C-alpha cells in the first residue's frame, strides 16, 4: 500500500475523505482496484474518463444483473464513461457507512430503466427479468407480479415515485444488508 | 344557467365563504355537505371494483404535465441528511432556500448553475456556515450526503471554503481564545474519526468475511459476523477473568511457593516440568513457566500444612501419581478429552481456587473468594447488558418500526433481493435461482390467498400442529428423564466397578449429548416439513424454538443432576466412598483424612462442561472431515442427487444454532469452570478457520432465501433467553446452593453467599444486601414486569402510528386524485374543451390569495381552492356533478348515482 499512497496528494486524500463515506485506507484500496482495472501506468489523473466496459470487469459488478444501470447512473456526465471520482462515488454509496436514504436514491435510479423518474410497470418487469436471470417467469406470472407490486405501493398512480421508494425502503431492513459491498 | 361552478375543497376552508356568492345549484350544496365521506366511499368502492387497473392513471399527455409539477423536482435535490428519520426532522435552511427557488419555477440548466445555486444557498445558511465545530461537522455531513457526483461536491466545497476564508479575513472577530477552542475541538473530532476509521479498516477478519460474502452472499456472511461478535465479546470476558481472577490466584500460588520452600517436592517438579508446562500453555494461552511452578506439589503440600483436614480430592490424585514417579498418570493423554486427572488441579475448575486472601505487599489484601464472586458476576452482567442492548436495537429496527407497515412486503422482496456483494459467477447463478423460487412461492401464496381455506381444513391444520408440538414436548421430557437416568447409572456404576474416572467412561455421556444436539435438530427439520407450515419463516422459527428447548433440557438436566447430587446427603457419602476407593491402594492415611471432606461437585460439573465443549469440537471437526471426504469421493460423479446436495449445503440456521449452543455451554459452566471463556474463545477461532475453509472450498451456498435482518433478531433473542436462564440458575446456586465444604473459594460455608457475608465489613454488607435484594424473586419479577410494560408501551405507540399511517395514506390517495383531476383539467383547458370563466367570476369565486394562477400556491395545500368553471353547451341540461367525476372522463357515469 505504501507506494500507492504517493498517487494522492495529502489535500486530495483529505478532500475525498471528507466528501465520501470512505476511510483513508479504503480510498487507497479503491485506487489500487481502479489501477487494476485500467492499468497502472496509464492514468494518474483522477478525472480522466474510461469506458464503462473496462470498469465492468470489477468482480463486484461483473455478475451483477444491474451493472449497466449502475455504471450509467454513476457516470457523472452520462456519457457511458467513468472517472476515478465517479468510481469513488460508487464505492462510497455501496459502503456500510452510507445512509439508507442515499442508497435508496441511487437504487431508485438504477431500477428506473426508462429514466422517467418513476418506477412503472415496464421498469418493474425488466427488474424482475434481471433478478431471475436465466430462469424466466411466464409472461402472465410476471404481469401478475408487477400488478401486485404496483397495487401494494403505488399511491399516486403512474408508478412508484422517488419519495415513495425511499419511504418504502426505510421499512425494509434487509435493503441495507443487500445493497452494499465492501472494497 | 349557462355556466356551472364546481368548487372543490381540499382542506377545511369554510365553504360558505366560497359558495355563498353563487348559490345557484342545489347539487352543489349536496356535494359539499358530505364531501369527505363521499370521497372515501367512492375511493374504496373503486379500488375494490377495478382491481389491478389504476383508477387515476394518467394518459400520455397528462403525464407530461405531471413532470412539470414542482413536487417532481424536489426529490432530485434532497440530501438524505435533511430527511433523517427520527430526532432530526427539521429541514435545514439552505435546503428550504433551494426548494423555494424550485417552487418559483427556477431550476438550473447546467451543472455550473447547479453548483452556483447550491453554494449560494449554503452560504446563506447561518447555522451551516457557523465558525465552530458543529458547523464544520454539519458542512461535512451535508456535502457527503448530497445526491451529486463527486466532482460537483468538490466544486461546492471549494467555493464554500473560498468564501468562508474571505469572510473570515474581512471580519476578524474571533478572539484568540475562541480560535484555540475551535482548533482543539476540531482536532478532537478528527482524532475520534480516525480512531473509528482505524477500527473500521482493521476490523477482525475483515478480508475473510468479505471473501465469504462475495462467494456466498450476506446470509452466510451474517453467520461469520455473528461468530466474530461472539469472539470479541468473549475476548473481553477472558481479559477480565484472566486479569482479576486467574492472575491473582497464580500470584498467590507463586507467592506461597517462594515464601515457604518445600525441599521434599523439588524432584517431581523437574520431571514433570516440560509436559505440564507445555500442555497447560495451550489451554490458557499464557506462558507456561509460572504454571509449572504453580502446578508443583509444593502448593498442595503447602495447602496441606495450612489446612490439614480439608485436602481436596484433586490433591489426592496428584500426589500419589507423582510419588510413583509416573508422569503419564499426572497428565494422561486422555485428560485432554476428559478434562479430569491432571486438569483437576489447575485453575481450570472451581475447586482449585483459594478461599483466603493473600497480600503481596503489606496491608494490601486480595480476597480470592470475593474476587471469584464478583468477577463471575461481572462477566454475567456484561454479557447481559451487551446482548440485551443488541436485542433491543435489532428488535426496534426490524420489528417495531417495520411491522405495521406490511403493505409493501412484496416490493421488499423484489428491491432488496439481489445481493450486491456477490463476486462469483456460481453465487450469482444460485442467487438467480433462489430469487426465482421465492417469487414463484409468492405467486402461489397469492393464489392460495385468493381461495380461502375452509374452516374445517384450518382446524385440522391446527390440530396437526398441536399434536406435533405435544409429541415434541413429551419426547423432550422423556429425553431429559433418560439423561438423568444415564447420569445416575453412570455414577452408580462408578461405585460398583470402581473404574478410574480418567478412562473413557466419562466420555460416554458428553458424546451422547453432542450426538443428540447434532442429530435431533435434523429430525426437527424433517418434522416441521410434515406439519405444513405454509410460510417458510414460520417453519424456521418453530425449528429454532424446538432446538433451543432441546439444548436447555439437556443442560438443565446436567446441572440439575449434579446440584441434587450435591444437596442429597446420601449420594454425597456414596461419592465419598467412590472417591476414596478410586485412589490407589496405599494412601489410606490420605483417604482417611478425606473421609470427612466431601466431594467437590462443582469441579465435577465443571469437568462435564469441559468435556461437552471438547467433544463437541471434535465431533464437528470429524463431521467436516467426513464431508470433505464425501466431497472428494463424489466429485467425479456426474449425477448428483438430493442427498449430495443436502450434505454439501451450508445451513446457516443450523450453524448459528450451534454457536448459540456453545455460548450457552459457556454461560452454564462459567461458575464451575471459570476458564470456559478461554476454551470457547480458542474454539471459536479454530472454528472460524475451519468453517471458512470448508465454505470456500467445497460447500454449496444455501439455496433458500435468507432474510438476514429479522432472522438475526430471532437468533439474538434466543441467545438472550439462554443467557438469562443461565444467569438465573447462577443466582439460584449462589443463594441457595450448598457449597462444597472442602474445596474452592467458598469452602467452609453453607451457602456461597455466606462466605461473602462473613468476610465483608459493614460497608460491603450494604452492597451485598443490595445485591441479594436485587436477586430476590419478587424484585426480579418486578423488573421483568417493568420491561414487559415498556415493550408493551412501545408496541402500542407503534400501533397508534400504524393507524395514523393508514389515515394519512388514505388522505394521500385523495390528494393524488385531486392532482390527477387538476392535471386533466388543465390539459382540457389547453385543448380548449373548457372555457375559463370571466375574470370577474374568478375573483368572486375565490379569495385572491389562493388564486390558482400562481404556481407556488399549488403546493401550499392549506390555501388551495380550485374553481372549475365549465361552459356547457346551452342545449344540454347540466348533469349533477359529483366528486367522483374527476377520476377520469370515461368512468364518470359509473360512479354517479
Amino acid at each position: 500500500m505504501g507506494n500507492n499512497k504517493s498517487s494522492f496528494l495529502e489535500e486530495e486524500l483529505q478532500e475525498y475523505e471528507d466528501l465520501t463515506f470512505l476511510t483513508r485506507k479504503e480510498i487507497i484500496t479503491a485506487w489500487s482496484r481502479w489501477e487494476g482495472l485500467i492499468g497502472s501506468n496509464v492514468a494518474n489523473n483522477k478525472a480522466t474518463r474510461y469506458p464503462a466496459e473496462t470498469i465492468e470487469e470489477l468482480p463486484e459488478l461483473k455478475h451483477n444483473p444491474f451493472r449497466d444501470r449502475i455504471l450509467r447512473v454513476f457516470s457523472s456526465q452520462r456519457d457511458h464513461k467513468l472517472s476515478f471520482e465517479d468510481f469513488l462515488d460508487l464505492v462510497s454509496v455501496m459502503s456500510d457507512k452510507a445512509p439508507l436514504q442515499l442508497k435508496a436514491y441511487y437504487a431508485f435510479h438504477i431500477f428506473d430503466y426508462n429514466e422517467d423518474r418513476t418506477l412503472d410497470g415496464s421498469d418493474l418487469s425488466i427488474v424482475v427479468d434481471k433478478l431471475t436471470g436465466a430462469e424466466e417467469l411466464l409472461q402472465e406470472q410476471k404481469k401478475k407480479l408487477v400488478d401486485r407490486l404496483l397495487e401494494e405501493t403505488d399511491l399516486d398512480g403512474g408508478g412508484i415515485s422517488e419519495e415513495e421508494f425511499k419511504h418504502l425502503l426505510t421499512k425494509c431492513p434487509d435493503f441495507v444488508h443487500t445493497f452494499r459491498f465492501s472494497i | 344557467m349557462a355556466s356551472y361552478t364546481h368548487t372543490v375543497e381540499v382542506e377545511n376552508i369554510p365553504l360558505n365563504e366560497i359558495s355563498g356568492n353563487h348559490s345557484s345549484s342545489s347539487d352543489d350544496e349536496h356535494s359539499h355537505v358530505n364531501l369527505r365521506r363521499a370521497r372515501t366511499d367512492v375511493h374504496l368502492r373503486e379500488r375494490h371494483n377495478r382491481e389491478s387497473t389504476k383508477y387515476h392513471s394518467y394518459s400520455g399527455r397528462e403525464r407530461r404535465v405531471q413532470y412539470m409539477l414542482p413536487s417532481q423536482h424536489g426529490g432530485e435535490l434532497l440530501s438524505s441528511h435533511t430527511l433523517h428519520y427520527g430526532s432530526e426532522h427539521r429541514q435545514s435552511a439552505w435546503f428550504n432556500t433551494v426548494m423555494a427557488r424550485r417552487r418559483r419555477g427556477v431550476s438550473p440548466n447546467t451543472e455550473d448553475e447547479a453548483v452556483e445555486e447550491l453554494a449560494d444557498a449554503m452560504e446563506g445558511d447561518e447555522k451551516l456556515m457557523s465558525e465552530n465545530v458543529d458547523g464544520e461537522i454539519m458542512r461535512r455531513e451535508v456535502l457527503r450526503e448530497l445526491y451529486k457526483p463527486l466532482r460537483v461536491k468538490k466544486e461546492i466545497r471549494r467555493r464554500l471554503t473560498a468564501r468562508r476564508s474571505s469572510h473570515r479575513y474581512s471580519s476578524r472577530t474571533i478572539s484568540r481564545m475562541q480560535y484555540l477552542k475551535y482548533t482543539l475541538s476540531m482536532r478532537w473530532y478528527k482524532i475520534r474519526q480516525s480512531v473509528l476509521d482505524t477500527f473500521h479498516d482493521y476490523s477482525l477478519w475483515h478480508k475473510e468475511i468479505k471473501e465469504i460474502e462475495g462467494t456466498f452472499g450476506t446470509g452466510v456472511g451474517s453467520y461469520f459476523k455473528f461468530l466474530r461478535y461472539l469472539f470479541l465479546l468473549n475476548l473481553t470476558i477472558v481479559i477480565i477473568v484472566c486479569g482479576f481472577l486467574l492472575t491473582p490466584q497464580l500470584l498467590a500460588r507463586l507467592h506461597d511457593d517462594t515464601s515457604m520452600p518445600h525441599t521434599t517436592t523439588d524432584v517431581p517438579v523437574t520431571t514433570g516440568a516440560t509436559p505440564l508446562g507445555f500442555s497447560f500453555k495451550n489451554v490458557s494461552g499464557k506462558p507456561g513457566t509460572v504454571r509449572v511452578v504453580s502446578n508443583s506439589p509444593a502448593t498442595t503440600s503447602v495447602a496441606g500444612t495450612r489446612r490439614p483436614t480439608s485436602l481436596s480430592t484433586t490433591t489426592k490424585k496428584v500426589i500419589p501419581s507423582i510419588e510413583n514417579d509416573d508422569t503419564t498418570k499426572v497428565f494422561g493423554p486422555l485428560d485432554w478429552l476428559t478434562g479430569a486427572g491432571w486438569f483437576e488441579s489447575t485453575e481450570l475448575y472451581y475447586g482449585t481456587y483459594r478461599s483466603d486472601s493473600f497480600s503481596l505487599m503489606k496491608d494490601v489484601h486480595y480476597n480470592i473468594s470475593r474476587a471469584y464472586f464478583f468477577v463471575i458476576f461481572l462477566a454475567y452482567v456484561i454479557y447481559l447488558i451487551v446482548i440485551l442492548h443488541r436485542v433491543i436495537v435489532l428488535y426496534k429496527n426490524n420489528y417495531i418500526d417495520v411491522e405495521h407497515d406490511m403493505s409493501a412486503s412484496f416490493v421488499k422482496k423484489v428491491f432488496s433481493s439481489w445481493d450486491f456483494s456477490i463476486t462469483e459467477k456460481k453465487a450469482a447463478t444460485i442467487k438467480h435461482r433462489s430469487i426465482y423460487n421465492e417469487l414463484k412461492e409468492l405467486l402461489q401464496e397469492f393464489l392460495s390467498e385468493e381461495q380461502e381455506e375452509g374452516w374445517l381444513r384450518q382446524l385440522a391444520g391446527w390440530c396437526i400442529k398441536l399434536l406435533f408440538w405435544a409429541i415434541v414436548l413429551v419426547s423432550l421430557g422423556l429425553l431429559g428423564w433418560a439423561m438423568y437416568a444415564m447420569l445416575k447409572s453412570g455414577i452408580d456404576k462408578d461405585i460398583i466397578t470402581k473404574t478410574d474416572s480418567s478412562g473413557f467412561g466419562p466420555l460416554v455421556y458428553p458424546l451422547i449429548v453432542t450426538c443428540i444436539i447434532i442429530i435431533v435438530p435434523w429430525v426437527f427439520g424433517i418434522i416441521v416439513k410434515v406439519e405444513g407450515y405454509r410460510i417458510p419463516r414460520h417453519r424456521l422459527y418453530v425449528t429454532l424454538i424446538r432446538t433451543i428447548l432441546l439444548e436447555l433440557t439437556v443442560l438443565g438436566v446436567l446441572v440439575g443432576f449434579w446440584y441434587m447430587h450435591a444437596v442429597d446427603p446420601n449420594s454425597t457419602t456414596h461419592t465419598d466412598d467412590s472417591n476414596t476407593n478410586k485412589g490407589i491402594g496405599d494412601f489410606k492415611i490420605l483417604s482417611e483424612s478425606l473421609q470427612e471432606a466431601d466431594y467437590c461437585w462443582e469441579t465435577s460439573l465443571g469437568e462435564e462442561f469441559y468435556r461437552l465443549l471438547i467433544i463437541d469440537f471434535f465431533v464437528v471437526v470429524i463431521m467436516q472431515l467426513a464431508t470433505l471426504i464425501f466431497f472428494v469421493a463424489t466429485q467425479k460423479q456426474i449425477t448428483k442427487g438430493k442427498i449430495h446436495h443436502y450434505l454439501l449445503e451450508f445451513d446457516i440456521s443450523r450453524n448459528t444454532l450451534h454457536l448459540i449452543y456453545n455460548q450457552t455451554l459457556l454461560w452454564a459452566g462459567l461458575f464451575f469452570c471459570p476458564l470456559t471463556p478461554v476454551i470457547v474463545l480458542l474454539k471459536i477461532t479454530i472454528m472460524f478457520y475451519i468453517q471458512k475453509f470448508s465454505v470456500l472450498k467445497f460447500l454449496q451456498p444455501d439455496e433458500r432465501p435468507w432474510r438476514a435482518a429479522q432472522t438475526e433478531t430471532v437468533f439474538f433473542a434466543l441467545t438472550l433467553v439462554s443467557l438469562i436462564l443461565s444467569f438465573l440458575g447462577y443466582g439460584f446456586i449462589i443463594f441457595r446452593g450448598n457449597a462444597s465444604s472442602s474445596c474452592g473459594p467458598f469452602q467452609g460455608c453453607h451457602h456461597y453467599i455466606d462466605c461473602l457475608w462473613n468476610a465483608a465489613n459493614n460497608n460491603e454488607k450494604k452492597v451485598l444486601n443490595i445485591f441479594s435484594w436485587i436477586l430476590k424473586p419478587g424484585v426480579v419479577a418486578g423488573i421483568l414486569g417493568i420491561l414487559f410494560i415498556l415493550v408493551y408501551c412501545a408496541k402500542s405507540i407503534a400501533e397508534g402510528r400504524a393507524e395514523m399511517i393508514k389515515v394519512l395514506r388514505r388522505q394521500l390517495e385523495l390528494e393524488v386524485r385531486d392532482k390527477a383531476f387538476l392535471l386533466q383539467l388543465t390539459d382540457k383547458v389547453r385543448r380548449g374543451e373548457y372555457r375559463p370563466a370571466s375574470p370577474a367570476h374568478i375573483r368572486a369565486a375565490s379569495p385572491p390569495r389562493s388564486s390558482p394562477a400562481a404556481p407556488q400556491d399549488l403546493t401550499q395545500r392549506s390555501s388551495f381552492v380550485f374553481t372549475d368553471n365549465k361552459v356547457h353547451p346551452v342545449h344540454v341540461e347540466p348533469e349533477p356533478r359529483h366528486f367522483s367525476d374527476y377520476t377520469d372522463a370515461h368512468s364518470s357515469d359509473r360512479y354517479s348515482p
Side-chain angles (χ1 to χ4, degrees):
Chain A
M1 289 297 156
N3 59 341
N4 268 321
K5 204 165 181 171
S6 58
S7 3
F8 291 95
L9 298 172
E10 176 57 31
E11 306 91 71
E12 211 172 21
L13 210 52
Q14 183 64 44
E15 189 168 39
Y16 287 144
E17 215 181 333
D18 276 353
L19 291 176
T20 62
F21 291 93
L22 303 173
T23 63
R24 195 163 276 246
K25 183 168 170 264
E26 280 170 328
I27 292 168
I28 293 166
T29 319
W31 177 251
S32 63
R33 297 290 293 275
W34 176 256
E35 280 190 330
L37 286 172
I38 56 167
S40 57
N41 52 348
V42 197
N44 229 335
N45 186 356
K46 315 273 177 321
T48 324
R49 309 180 69 75
Y50 292 90
E53 285 76 32
T54 333
I55 291 105
E56 237 175 59
E57 289 302 305
L58 190 79
E60 277 82 3
L61 291 176
K62 208 170 176 182
H63 302 290
N64 194 320
F66 303 108
R67 58 183 174 276
D68 45 341
R69 288 296 307 162
I70 295 177
L71 291 172
R72 187 166 166 75
V73 167
F74 280 95
S75 162
S76 62
Q77 294 183 355
R78 306 272 159 163
D79 56 355
H80 205 58
K81 283 177 178 172
L82 266 83
S83 66
F84 173 66
E85 291 185 351
D86 293 345
F87 178 69
L88 215 53
D89 257 339
L90 168 67
V91 177
S92 163
V93 168
M94 288 296 180
S95 76
D96 285 328
K97 282 193 276 176
L100 171 69
Q101 295 278 345
L102 189 74
K103 281 174 185 277
Y105 168 83
Y106 283 100
F108 177 83
H109 285 279
I110 287 168
F111 293 142
D112 182 16
Y113 269 83
N114 52 18
E115 303 197 340
D116 60 356
R117 292 214 193 123
T118 46
L119 294 183
D120 50 19
S122 63
D123 290 328
L124 289 177
S125 81
I126 300 177
V127 169
V128 170
D129 266 349
K130 295 271 173 185
L131 281 176
T132 49
E135 309 191 37
E136 275 190 36
L137 290 166
L138 295 174
Q139 201 60 36
E140 60 196 279
Q141 282 177 328
K142 215 160 61 188
K143 189 172 169 349
K144 199 171 167 57
L145 252 163
V146 170
D147 283 349
R148 182 77 186 224
L149 269 167
L150 284 173
E151 196 186 322
E152 268 185 357
T153 48
D154 181 19
L155 293 178
D156 65 352
I160 304 165
S161 76
E162 195 182 310
E163 292 303 309
E164 277 174 315
F165 185 75
K166 281 185 203 161
H167 173 74
L168 244 145
L169 292 184
T170 55
K171 298 286 175 195
C172 178
D174 278 318
F175 176 70
V176 266
H177 287 269
T178 54
F179 196 76
R180 54 170 283 275
F181 59 75
S182 47
I183 193 82
Chain B
M1 189 188 66
S3 74
Y4 170 88
T5 310
H6 185 86
T7 312
V8 181
E9 173 224 25
V10 174
E11 291 290 338
N12 292 323
I13 296 167
L15 288 169
N16 298 336
E17 198 186 309
I18 305 149
S19 55
N21 287 323
H22 39 117
S23 55
S24 46
S25 60
S26 61
D27 51 68
D28 215 28
E29 297 253 343
H30 167 76
S31 70
H32 288 152
V33 175
N34 268 334
L35 198 56
R36 198 160 288 264
R37 179 67 210 263
R39 286 181 203 174
T40 326
D41 287 351
V42 166
H43 160 69
L44 289 179
R45 192 147 38 99
E46 213 166 7
R47 182 145 199 177
H48 223 76
N49 288 345
R50 310 163 64 198
E51 279 187 357
S52 59
T53 44
K54 276 286 167 185
Y55 46 88
H56 46 242
S57 52
Y58 308 112
S59 65
R61 206 194 333 253
E62 284 144 17
R63 205 159 175 165
R64 232 173 299 130
V65 182
Q66 192 200 0
Y67 295 133
M68 290 158 62
L69 292 179
S71 67
Q72 295 290 316
H73 295 282
E76 175 202 10
L77 257 171
L78 284 181
S79 108
S80 57
H81 188 63
T82 54
L83 265 185
H84 260 316
Y85 157 107
S87 58
E88 182 82 26
H89 257 300
R90 273 177 301 117
Q91 296 185 339
S92 40
W94 69 269
F95 176 73
N96 287 335
T97 320
V98 177
M99 282 316 285
R101 275 170 66 87
R102 286 284 181 288
R103 261 185 242 128
R104 261 178 275 132
V106 187
S107 55
N109 290 322
T110 62
E111 201 179 278
D112 286 344
E113 274 176 41
V115 170
E116 192 64 38
E117 182 186 36
L118 281 172
D120 277 342
M122 285 181 187
E123 175 96 336
D125 190 341
E126 236 172 73
K127 211 169 147 197
L128 190 67
M129 296 303 287
S130 55
E131 281 298 325
N132 52 28
V133 182
D134 287 344
E136 188 85 27
I137 293 168
M138 214 164 118
R139 274 197 293 281
R140 190 171 178 227
E141 299 278 300
V142 162
L143 280 179
R144 255 207 308 207
E145 295 177 10
L146 209 62
Y147 301 158
K148 291 279 175 201
L150 191 61
R151 196 156 38 84
V152 176
K153 290 185 198 172
K154 242 165 101 174
E155 195 51 42
I156 295 176
R157 184 176 185 261
R158 210 158 286 159
R159 288 194 194 195
L160 282 186
T161 340
R163 286 184 210 182
R164 219 155 44 84
S165 58
S166 69
H167 178 72
R168 198 191 290 164
Y169 191 73
S170 62
S171 60
R172 272 184 177 275
T173 47
I174 332 167
S175 72
R176 191 167 277 250
M177 200 50 206
Q178 266 173 323
Y179 184 73
L180 190 72
K181 202 177 140 202
Y182 169 79
T183 358
L184 276 181
S185 44
M186 201 57 225
R187 190 151 295 164
W188 170 235
Y189 171 75
K190 287 229 165 115
I191 289 172
R192 223 174 36 195
Q193 282 294 319
S194 66
V195 166
L196 282 179
D197 282 356
T198 320
F199 269 111
H200 179 82
D201 283 346
Y202 298 95
S203 58
L204 189 69
W205 294 325
H206 177 81
K207 246 172 104 180
E208 282 89 346
I209 287 178
K210 181 191 149 41
E211 195 186 346
I212 290 163
E213 273 183 348
T215 31
F216 277 76
T218 37
V220 179
S222 74
Y223 163 80
F224 283 91
K225 278 184 180 161
F226 185 58
L227 202 152
R228 182 174 67 180
Y229 177 82
L230 288 181
F231 177 86
L232 291 175
L233 188 60
N234 289 335
L235 185 68
T236 329
I237 301 299
V238 165
I239 291 169
I240 291 174
V241 169
C242 286
F244 294 102
L245 187 60
L246 190 63
T247 319
Q249 162 80 12
L250 292 175
L251 280 175
R253 273 194 174 196
L254 197 67
H255 185 65
D256 285 348
D257 282 347
T258 47
S259 61
M260 295 184 225
H262 273 252
T263 46
T264 48
T265 49
D266 274 352
V267 184
V269 175
T270 44
T271 51
T274 336
L276 293 186
F278 179 70
S279 54
F280 201 92
K281 197 168 137 192
N282 286 325
V283 175
S284 70
K286 287 204 156 193
T289 45
V290 179
R291 307 296 151 68
V292 176
V293 181
S294 70
N295 192 46
S296 71
T299 334
T300 49
S301 44
V302 168
T305 49
R306 213 187 314 111
R307 214 181 281 273
T309 48
S310 65
L311 266 176
S312 66
T313 48
T314 54
T315 329
K316 178 204 71 187
K317 273 182 188 158
V318 176
I319 291 177
S321 41
I322 283 177
E323 289 191 3
N324 282 347
D325 217 357
D326 187 1
T327 39
T328 50
K329 269 215 166 174
V330 178
F331 181 72
L334 266 180
D335 287 359
W336 269 116
L337 286 174
T338 60
W342 174 76
F343 275 115
E344 282 179 2
S345 62
T346 64
E347 268 69 20
L348 198 57
Y349 300 120
Y350 167 92
T352 328
Y353 287 86
R354 309 153 48 113
S355 63
D356 53 344
S357 40
F358 77 101
S359 55
L360 282 179
M361 287 169 285
K362 261 184 190 163
D363 302 328
V364 183
H365 292 278
Y366 198 91
N367 189 328
I368 300 243
S369 71
R370 249 187 280 171
Y372 197 93
F373 175 79
F374 283 115
V375 164
I376 302 290
F377 186 76
L378 186 71
Y380 273 115
V381 170
I382 289 174
Y383 276 127
L384 201 62
I385 289 172
V386 171
I387 289 181
L388 195 65
H389 173 255
R390 182 85 185 197
V391 169
I392 288 170
V393 168
L394 284 175
Y395 183 68
K396 186 182 159 296
N397 288 348
N398 299 338
Y399 281 86
I400 290 189
D401 285 354
V402 175
E403 200 169 27
H404 293 288
D405 201 10
M406 291 308 269
S407 59
S409 58
F410 199 20
V411 179
K412 290 170 194 167
K413 296 225 161 115
V414 170
F415 291 132
S416 62
S417 53
W418 185 261
D419 196 335
F420 281 70
S421 56
I422 283 177
T423 56
E424 298 291 318
K425 188 165 172 54
K426 194 174 89 181
T429 330
I430 284 168
K431 192 81 201 168
H432 278 310
R433 209 180 312 144
S434 129
I435 291 173
Y436 174 74
N437 288 338
E438 198 185 11
L439 289 180
K440 269 186 92 173
E441 217 169 82
L442 265 171
L443 278 168
Q444 261 163 11
E445 232 169 78
F446 291 154
L447 286 178
S448 64
E449 240 173 59
E450 280 159 20
Q451 358 173 301
E452 280 281 315
E453 272 186 14
W455 65 271
L456 209 71
R457 245 184 104 91
Q458 279 189 2
L459 190 74
W462 278 109
C463 283
I464 289 174
K465 278 167 206 165
L466 268 179
L467 185 73
F468 270 102
W469 267 103
I471 290 174
V472 167
L473 289 180
V474 166
S475 51
L476 279 183
L478 282 174
L479 187 73
W481 177 80
M483 303 244 109
Y484 187 84
M486 198 171 77
L487 277 170
K488 199 156 176 60
S489 74
I491 289 286
D492 289 344
K493 213 167 77 188
D494 261 8
I495 297 161
I496 295 160
T497 58
K498 299 176 178 62
T499 49
D500 191 3
S501 72
S502 61
F504 276 108
L507 288 179
V508 176
Y509 177 77
L511 207 61
I512 291 173
V513 168
T514 310
C515 289
I516 287 172
I517 291 287
I518 287 170
I519 291 166
V520 176
W522 279 9
V523 179
F524 284 159
I526 294 161
I527 288 177
V528 93
K529 274 182 194 154
V530 183
E531 265 173 286
Y533 287 95
R534 264 220 311 261
I535 303 167
R537 184 138 43 97
H538 291 180
R539 235 178 271 162
L540 177 70
Y541 289 170
V542 167
T543 324
L544 286 184
I545 291 169
R546 285 175 185 169
T547 314
I548 285 290
L549 279 178
L550 169 78
E551 285 168 7
L552 289 176
T553 316
V554 169
L555 294 184
V557 166
L558 182 65
V559 177
F561 170 78
W562 281 103
Y563 176 73
M564 306 238 286
H565 193 68
V567 172
D568 186 13
N570 289 330
S571 62
T572 346
T573 48
H574 270 293
T575 42
D576 262 358
D577 290 347
S578 73
N579 282 324
T580 40
N581 288 329
K582 251 186 256 166
I584 300 157
D586 53 348
F587 286 99
K588 287 230 169 103
I589 314 147
L590 262 177
S591 358
E592 268 167 28
S593 76
L594 275 165
Q595 284 292 349
E596 48 207 30
D598 67 2
Y599 188 62
C600 198
W601 72 277
E602 292 92 346
T603 299
S604 317
L605 186 51
E607 279 173 38
E608 290 287 356
F609 281 113
Y610 177 87
R611 260 169 272 174
L612 278 175
L613 279 168
I614 292 290
I615 293 288
D616 177 74
F617 176 68
F618 279 109
V619 168
V620 168
V621 170
I622 288 168
M623 273 176 56
Q624 294 279 4
L625 272 177
T627 327
L628 177 63
I629 292 166
F630 180 76
F631 171 73
V632 171
T634 58
Q635 202 180 15
K636 281 173 190 162
Q637 283 176 17
I638 302 147
T639 49
K640 283 175 182 173
K642 228 178 173 180
I643 303 166
H644 178 94
H645 217 84
Y646 184 71
L647 281 177
L648 292 181
E649 194 178 73
F650 186 82
D651 186 340
I652 304 163
S653 70
R654 210 176 51 224
N655 280 295
T656 314
L657 267 180
H658 192 249
L659 273 183
I660 296 178
Y661 168 67
N662 256 315
Q663 203 57 29
T664 314
L665 276 181
L666 190 164
W667 289 324
L670 186 59
F671 180 70
F672 309 103
C673 173
L675 293 188
T676 38
V678 182
I679 301 169
V680 172
L681 195 70
L682 287 171
K683 200 174 147 182
I684 283 181
T685 318
I686 300 170
M687 285 294 286
F688 180 89
Y689 286 103
I690 291 180
Q691 291 280 26
K692 187 196 140 206
F693 172 78
S694 60
V695 158
L696 289 180
K697 291 289 181 256
F698 60 90
L699 285 187
Q700 300 274 337
D702 199 342
E703 235 182 66
R704 280 160 290 175
W706 184 253
R707 300 266 150 231
Q710 298 211 337
T711 324
E712 196 189 357
T713 321
V714 176
F715 277 124
F716 266 96
L718 290 178
T719 320
L720 184 68
V721 166
S722 64
L723 172 61
I724 287 178
L725 286 177
S726 322
F727 191 55
L728 289 180
Y730 163 71
F732 177 78
I733 284 175
I734 284 290
F735 281 96
R736 291 274 170 275
N738 296 349
S740 301
S741 56
S742 64
C743 66
F746 302 105
Q747 53 189 278
C749 304
H750 187 54
H751 294 315
Y752 296 94
I753 200 76
D754 294 345
C755 274
L756 293 166
W757 235 266
N758 299 337
N761 57 33
N762 277 341
N763 254 346
E764 287 165 329
K765 265 196 180 134
K766 265 182 211 155
V767 178
L768 279 175
N769 269 326
I770 292 168
F771 265 125
S772 62
W773 185 79
I774 286 174
L775 289 175
K776 268 182 186 157
V779 181
V780 171
I783 292 171
L784 283 180
I786 290 169
L787 283 178
F788 277 125
I789 289 171
L790 284 179
V791 169
Y792 177 77
C793 284
K795 271 209 87 113
S796 350
I797 290 171
E799 264 160 30
R801 284 200 190 129
E803 275 302 300
M804 200 63 213
I805 287 172
K806 263 189 206 154
V807 172
L808 289 175
R809 249 184 132 88
R810 202 159 290 163
Q811 184 78 19
L812 188 63
E813 282 178 21
L814 292 175
E815 311 250 323
V816 159
R817 287 158 55 99
D818 289 352
K819 192 171 89 180
F821 167 66
L822 288 173
L823 287 174
Q824 278 178 6
L825 218 58
T826 40
D827 199 48
K828 275 182 187 166
V829 170
R830 234 186 19 197
R831 273 181 290 163
E833 281 175 31
Y834 279 79
R835 197 171 67 214
S838 65
H841 210 114
I842 293 175
R843 229 172 290 130
S846 55
R849 68 185 166 87
S850 58
S851 111
Q856 67 263 39
D857 283 346
L858 279 172
T859 51
Q860 291 169 5
R861 305 186 332 206
S862 58
S863 61
F864 166 45
V865 171
F866 186 80
T867 314
D868 166 16
N869 296 335
K870 186 173 184 179
V871 183
H872 291 276
V874 187
H875 60 274
V876 181
E877 193 62 23
E879 259 180 48
R881 288 244 145 205
H882 288 282
F883 178 78
S884 54
D885 291 0
Y886 61 75
T887 50
D888 62 58
H890 310 291
S891 62
S892 62
D893 50 338
R894 212 164 142 187
Y895 299 107
S896 49

